[in-house]
Amino acid sequence: MMGYVEHPTRWNRGPARFRHREGNGGPLRRNPAERLGGGVASGVAAWKGFNVTTVRIAFVLLAVVTSGIAVAVYVLAWLLIPAAGAGPSIGAKARSDVQGIRLAAALASLLILVLLVAAALSDSWLINWVWPQVLSVAGLVLIWRNAPADEQATMRHLVQPLEAATGMTGGVASPHRRAVLRLTIAGLLLLGGVAWLFSVHGSIALLRPLGGVALVIAAIVLALGPWWLRIARELVLERQARIRAEERADIAARVHDSVLQTLALIQRRADDPAKVIQLARLQERELRSWLFEGRAPNELDADLTLAAGVRQIQQDVETRYGVPVEAVTVGDTELDDNLSALLAAAREATINAAKWSGADVISLFAEVEPAEVSLVVRDRGEGFDPEAVPADRKGLSESVHGRMTRRGGTATVSTAVGEGTKVTLKMPRTATPQTQGPSPAGRK
Amino acid sequence: MSAPRVVLVDDHGLFRSGVRAELGRQVDVVGEADDVQPAIALIAELLPDVVLLDVHLPGGGGQAVVKAIKADHPQVRFLALSASDAPEDVIAVIRAGARGYVTKTISTAELADAVRRVAAGDAVFSHRLAGFVLDAFAAAPSAADLKPSFDPELDQLTNREREVLRLIAQGYTYKEIASELFISVKTVESHVSSVLRKLQLSTRHQLTRWAAERRLT
């Protein structure tokens, strides 16, 4: 939508006029709120009170007529005019960006080479065209490196269609395809150039001065080449340093959110050993899953698998009942309704053990096999006499048993007074895709 | 049997002194080292029965110590100790020649028991390691695993070995396993040792991949 931010209603009234109000009278400022590129056009429009679209059309016409000088002027304006509401101009910041200035100089010197070739071909149009482009490219480099993040995002957005056209978007096109594309374009350009040379003047005599040009170019490449390379390498190093700094900040934030918070909690709960142990254990589990399995703390499992479900039970029981749970999972598979029921039954059995057995650790073992998934909940606690179960415990046992048998599974409880309890749950697998190992059909 | 002579290798001084204080009465801690090179020198000099070895050492990881010592002193036995549960860490040290793996959260009594077991030449599997092994040997060997030059026996667990591993993963002690399966503790031990051998020698893809992730092939 067009319109001044501060006067949206005024803008929408009636047909667009070239000059619908006096300029704002203030200093010239770029207007990033309404930008297509740098917000120069909308800034000029706001300054003098023109319609933004008029300014833009005028600018494009100017760019064509002046064979690109207007583009360079635009880039310079972008660089030198501060954005509305922001501090100094990008140019002021760029002055201290030695790296950026060197990069701009390197790119400009490359373009000047093109200019030399153009001069050799004595094509004045090309020369006129190249000068402003040298300025524009150098200016854009400085803007890119020193612009605030939101303006960088706009630039990236503008470049995107270009990248897509040349297949430069990382990841989508393979390096191989990109190389083929690049070579094809280079080949076409070369063919076009040679054809042009021969067709326009029809004489090889013209090529004679080209030999000299080639020597001059070679000399320049020899002189400046190492410098270009060094600048490219420094850019890579700079980028790596930035990535490292970001990683560090990320780790610091994670450690703060988890470890430091827990340490603070532990200091406050120092008089309650059980709570301290529980906190330490929770933190240990969280750190471990982050360091060794790459899962962020408190990260939700988007597509829950059996192993994730077992981990969930382990965490919940440890947090709520303060009994450590040793969980081992062999293989993994997607959850379906049957396996969710299996997990629910296992959760009941684990909570049961945590509440009643008095064991200091509970073992949870899940194994995914081609034909069935089995889950064993075991404790070395006091066990019980199955014949003399209190009513409330029988209820839990029923809910474990009922859940399993309704879905075609089995639940076996083996226990005796003083010998701990072992609940074995088995659920046959339906034809679900396995996330690991060959397909079930291939075995058995 | 006299108490086994033990060397502790761990880069955390606090952890070493903790283990030494706890184990002191049950085993004979003869030395401590905090990095790969000092550890190799110390072990070669003292020739202990068992080395309690941290998987993560600054100068190259625990397997560097195992490899260096195994070449000259095959009689020294290693028990890997780690705070990490990552299979590539554990498998790498086991394949280098350690006789077992336990996590640092293990109780003192269990640790002392594990040290004695390793000193006697048996293998020690924590429930976690048993889980890894079942995982690694779960699928039928793929075509890539079945290279003709290797012993196919190494790439498969027997049903009995699988049962034993399952019970270890469920937290059973060897004695409990023996009574559960109606076999002797000695038989349980021989099953575990045989699994250890397969773990160290098998060329199964999963195992070599885990090991390769810690630059050990």
Side-chain angles (χ1 to χ4, degrees):
Chain A
M1 281 303 289
M2 307 257 180
Y4 290 101
V5 200
E6 62 269 40
H7 297 294
T9 48
R10 190 170 175 184
W11 182 246
N12 291 332
R13 202 189 307 139
R17 280 162 288 168
F18 290 138
R19 188 164 188 162
H20 69 116
R21 66 160 195 179
E22 288 303 302
N24 56 16
L28 176 57
R29 288 284 177 270
R30 288 187 296 115
N31 182 6
E34 265 180 79
R35 60 164 170 251
L36 284 182
V40 174
S42 53
V44 168
W47 183 44
K48 281 296 174 203
F50 290 120
N51 180 329
V52 188
T53 316
T54 316
V55 176
R56 283 185 183 137
I57 291 171
F59 169 74
V60 171
L61 287 177
L62 215 63
V64 173
V65 171
T66 59
S67 58
I69 290 173
V71 176
V73 172
Y74 182 95
V75 171
L76 279 180
W78 189 348
L79 200 56
L80 297 179
I81 302 173
S89 65
I90 296 174
K93 254 190 284 175
R95 247 178 312 177
S96 57
D97 177 19
V98 183
Q99 273 286 328
I101 290 172
R102 281 156 81 183
L103 180 66
L107 274 176
S109 61
L110 267 177
L111 276 171
I112 288 171
L113 271 189
V114 177
L115 192 73
L116 271 173
V117 177
L121 294 172
S122 59
D123 193 314
S124 62
W125 177 80
L126 200 58
I127 296 175
N128 287 344
W129 188 250
V130 163
W131 270 119
Q133 299 328 313
V134 171
L135 276 175
S136 305
V137 166
L140 279 173
V141 165
L142 288 176
I143 292 171
W144 169 251
R145 290 181 51 89
N146 295 287
D150 59 325
E151 292 200 42
Q152 279 189 356
T154 312
M155 290 178 81
R156 203 174 290 130
H157 189 69
L158 286 175
V159 176
Q160 239 163 26
L162 263 178
E163 281 186 345
T166 51
M168 294 271 284
T169 33
V172 179
S174 66
H176 177 70
R177 245 193 68 193
R178 247 185 277 171
V180 167
L181 202 77
R182 204 179 58 234
L183 287 179
T184 311
I185 292 176
L188 283 176
L189 284 175
L190 191 69
L191 275 178
V194 171
W196 188 24
L197 274 177
F198 283 88
S199 67
V200 174
H201 300 276
S203 156
I204 301 189
L206 182 85
L207 282 178
R208 204 166 289 158
L210 263 184
V213 172
L215 277 180
V216 172
I217 291 176
I220 293 175
V221 168
L222 207 63
L224 295 184
W227 179 58
W228 289 333
L229 273 179
R230 205 179 61 229
I231 284 176
R233 210 168 35 232
E234 277 171 7
L235 270 182
V236 170
L237 286 178
E238 200 186 73
R239 189 165 145 188
Q240 282 170 345
R242 200 173 53 239
I243 291 173
R244 267 199 301 274
E246 277 167 12
E247 273 174 357
R248 234 191 92 77
D250 187 43
I251 289 173
R254 283 272 164 74
V255 169
H256 175 266
D257 285 351
S258 54
V259 180
L260 290 183
Q261 298 282 12
T262 306
L263 284 177
L265 270 177
I266 285 178
Q267 284 172 36
R268 269 197 308 193
R269 299 290 201 102
D271 52 338
D272 181 355
K275 188 72 197 170
V276 168
I277 289 173
Q278 189 189 335
L279 281 169
R281 228 187 134 76
L282 260 177
Q283 185 55 65
E284 180 200 330
R285 176 139 303 123
E286 206 178 277
L287 257 187
R288 200 167 272 193
S289 73
W290 178 48
L291 291 176
F292 305 119
E293 291 160 43
R295 263 180 302 107
N298 305 324
E299 190 180 296
L300 287 175
D301 294 284
D303 47 341
L304 201 67
T305 63
L306 185 83
V310 169
R311 266 200 307 271
Q312 201 77 54
I313 295 175
Q314 175 189 34
Q315 269 172 23
D316 290 355
V317 172
E318 284 188 348
T319 323
R320 258 196 292 165
Y321 301 95
V323 183
V325 177
E326 304 269 25
V328 174
T329 317
V330 176
D332 200 0
T333 182
E334 306 279 316
L335 281 188
D336 56 15
D337 287 350
N338 286 356
L339 295 183
S340 298
L342 175 74
L343 276 179
R347 177 181 290 268
E348 287 294 346
T350 314
I351 290 175
N352 209 11
K355 269 176 44 189
W356 300 101
S357 74
D360 43 12
V361 61
I362 300 166
S363 296
L364 196 55
F365 173 76
E367 186 175 10
V368 179
E369 286 173 286
E372 65 178 13
V373 176
S374 51
L375 228 156
V376 179
V377 181
R378 179 173 171 272
D379 66 72
R380 279 211 199 89
E382 49 197 46
F384 59 92
D385 180 358
E387 299 299 311
V389 182
D392 57 336
R393 279 194 76 177
K394 190 152 196 166
L396 280 175
S397 155
E398 274 302 307
S399 89
V400 170
H401 197 80
R403 272 208 176 91
M404 296 303 293
T405 45
R406 269 197 298 280
R407 301 218 169 242
T410 58
T412 339
V413 180
S414 59
T415 181
V417 176
E419 297 203 354
T421 308
K422 176 179 182 178
V423 180
T424 309
L425 310 169
K426 284 182 191 291
M427 184 66 80
R429 294 185 68 187
T430 46
T432 45
Q434 217 185 0
T435 52
Q436 197 183 325
S439 74
R443 292 186 264 162
K444 196 86 194 184
Chain B
M1 192 178 86
S2 65
R5 297 168 65 244
V6 174
V7 165
L8 288 175
V9 182
D10 194 299
D11 53 327
H12 292 103
L14 205 62
F15 182 80
R16 287 200 309 270
S17 58
V19 170
R20 187 191 264 263
E22 287 175 354
L23 276 187
R25 256 164 280 120
Q26 303 170 62
V27 305
D28 183 11
V29 181
V30 292
E32 292 178 22
D34 62 354
D35 203 354
V36 173
Q37 288 313 321
I40 292 171
L42 186 75
I43 296 165
E45 185 201 325
L46 295 175
L47 292 180
D49 299 316
V50 177
V51 178
L52 265 181
L53 179 68
D54 187 9
V55 169
H56 294 276
L57 288 176
Q63 70 260 30
V65 180
V66 184
K67 277 176 136 180
I69 295 295
K70 276 283 161 192
D72 298 333
H73 310 288
Q75 77 277 20
V76 177
R77 298 188 171 116
F78 290 85
L79 176 58
L81 204 63
S82 167
S84 130
D85 277 339
E88 58 270 23
D89 291 339
V90 177
I91 300 297
V93 182
I94 298 271
R95 281 176 79 90
R99 306 248 353 136
Y101 159 76
V102 291
T103 46
K104 282 186 175 176
T105 48
I106 190 174
S107 75
T108 310
E110 282 176 303
L111 182 58
D113 192 49
V115 169
R116 271 193 296 271
R117 210 175 278 286
V118 169
D122 290 323
V124 169
F125 278 28
S126 65
H127 64 284
R128 200 48 91 141
L129 178 55
F132 292 156
V133 179
L134 281 171
D135 237 349
F137 287 90
S142 68
D145 289 330
L146 294 176
K147 291 178 197 128
S149 55
F150 288 104
D151 181 358
E153 275 239 322
L154 286 175
D155 292 330
Q156 290 274 36
L157 295 183
T158 65
N159 282 337
R160 205 51 158 181
E161 285 162 355
R162 227 175 262 279
E163 275 177 274
V164 169
L165 283 176
R166 271 191 198 119
L167 292 175
I168 293 176
Q170 290 164 28
Y172 280 71
T173 63
Y174 286 12
K175 217 164 122 195
E176 287 170 329
I177 295 171
S179 73
E180 180 87 8
L181 298 180
F182 306 108
I183 53 182
S184 71
V185 174
K186 205 82 221 132
T187 314
V188 176
E189 281 167 356
S190 81
H191 281 310
V192 176
S193 291
S194 141
V195 173
L196 181 79
R197 198 174 66 91
K198 292 178 180 178
L199 197 55
Q200 287 171 340
L201 300 178
S202 166
T203 52
R204 281 189 75 108
H205 172 69
Q206 187 74 292
L207 291 170
T208 46
R209 187 174 63 83
W210 278 336
E213 279 169 22
R214 281 291 174 272
R215 294 180 302 280
L216 185 111
T217 41

